[in-house]
Amino acid sequence: VAQIQSRTLRQIHAPVEMRGRVDAALRGMSQVTTLIGALSAGFLATAYGTRASLWLAAGVLIVAAPVVWVMFTRVVAEPMDDT
């Protein structure tokens, strides 16, 4: 469901001639962050143990979720420019 909402927002807000570039940039950033997350999780699990790594991930998600929520509600609430 999140992918559908994300793609809809991109199609609404990105100019038609830029949609391919925007999609490619976001896909590239997603793949890079997945790689960084996997490497970080492996390092943390090796250094501190699996349980500590999972607690840290849970803490990050609890902090990040409201921040992302506020960011996306501002994007959706902004009026569109139909020029």
Side-chain angles (χ1 to χ4, degrees):
V1 173
Q3 187 177 9
I4 295 169
Q5 293 171 343
S6 173
R7 184 161 300 233
T8 300
L9 282 174
R10 283 187 299 221
Q11 289 176 349
I12 289 172
H13 292 288
V16 175
E17 62 275 1
M18 296 293 290
R19 285 186 189 158
R21 293 179 186 147
V22 170
D23 193 38
L26 289 174
R27 187 174 300 174
M29 288 188 327
S30 173
Q31 291 173 349
V32 168
T33 55
T34 299
L35 174 64
I36 291 170
L39 292 173
S40 300
F43 171 75
L44 287 172
T46 301
Y48 301 107
T50 305
R51 188 176 302 248
S53 299
L54 291 174
W55 278 111
L56 179 64
V60 168
L61 286 174
I62 289 171
V63 171
V67 173
V68 172
W69 180 267
V70 169
M71 288 172 42
F72 278 115
T73 53
R74 286 184 184 166
V75 168
V76 173
E78 291 177 0
M80 286 181 26
D81 185 19
D82 291 334
T83 58

